[in-house]
Amino acid sequence: MPLDPGPRAGACDLPAAAPAGGSALPADRIATARAAAVARAAALEVQVAALAEQQALTTHDDEHDPEGVTIGFERAQLLGLLAGARDEIAALDRAADRLRDGTYGRCSRCGVVIPEVRLEALPAAETCVTCADLRRRRR
């Protein structure tokens, strides 16, 4: 499933809200993070396809190979990383939507302002540190 870099990849369609002492505008941060996630996902898709091709061309029984990891393990690992990259893209798309709606930077759970430092580190952050910690503890 090819990734759609789409119009959301550019920052020009997002409002340029000024950060409170941050180094980049939120729109730029989101666009940059999304572009990196799209590039990472595309590279992982290439690796998954290459691995499938490699698996189709070999008659080697790697399930009992003491030399290293199996193709099945490698494939599962790559698919997990690819799913994570796709999840990140979706989260960044939601962040871009929140920025356009004027709700970016507010916790979706309690409504408190999310610290700029957190948004710089995690542009797609939907919750404040307190709510994220509560959510993590419940798991």
Side-chain angles (χ1 to χ4, degrees):
M1 169 174 163
L3 294 170
D4 173 26
R8 293 180 175 186
C12 60
D13 61 335
L14 299 175
S23 58
L25 294 173
D28 294 339
R29 228 181 350 228
I30 292 168
T32 299
R34 189 180 192 284
V38 167
R40 189 171 61 253
L44 288 164
E45 286 175 343
V46 168
Q47 290 180 41
V48 168
L51 192 60
E53 184 178 325
Q54 175 188 350
Q55 191 173 13
L57 296 175
T58 185
T59 58
H60 177 72
D61 177 16
D62 75 334
E63 296 298 322
H64 298 95
D65 185 358
E67 295 293 319
V69 299
T70 65
I71 290 176
F73 174 83
E74 225 177 309
R75 185 174 193 284
Q77 186 176 32
L78 287 173
L79 289 175
L81 291 169
L82 180 56
R86 287 178 175 160
D87 288 347
E88 184 177 352
I89 292 166
L92 288 161
D93 286 345
R94 289 190 306 273
D97 290 343
R98 288 192 311 277
L99 187 59
R100 276 190 287 277
D101 296 343
T103 59
Y104 182 77
R106 290 222 168 257
C107 180
S108 63
R109 187 168 183 273
C110 70
V112 74
V113 173
I114 299 172
E116 187 65 27
V117 174
R118 179 167 171 77
L119 293 172
E120 284 179 14
L122 302 168
E126 296 180 29
T127 57
C128 65
V129 174
T130 303
C131 289
D133 189 41
L134 288 172
R135 186 172 164 197
R136 227 182 333 269
R137 286 186 202 175
R138 288 184 186 146
R139 288 183 188 173

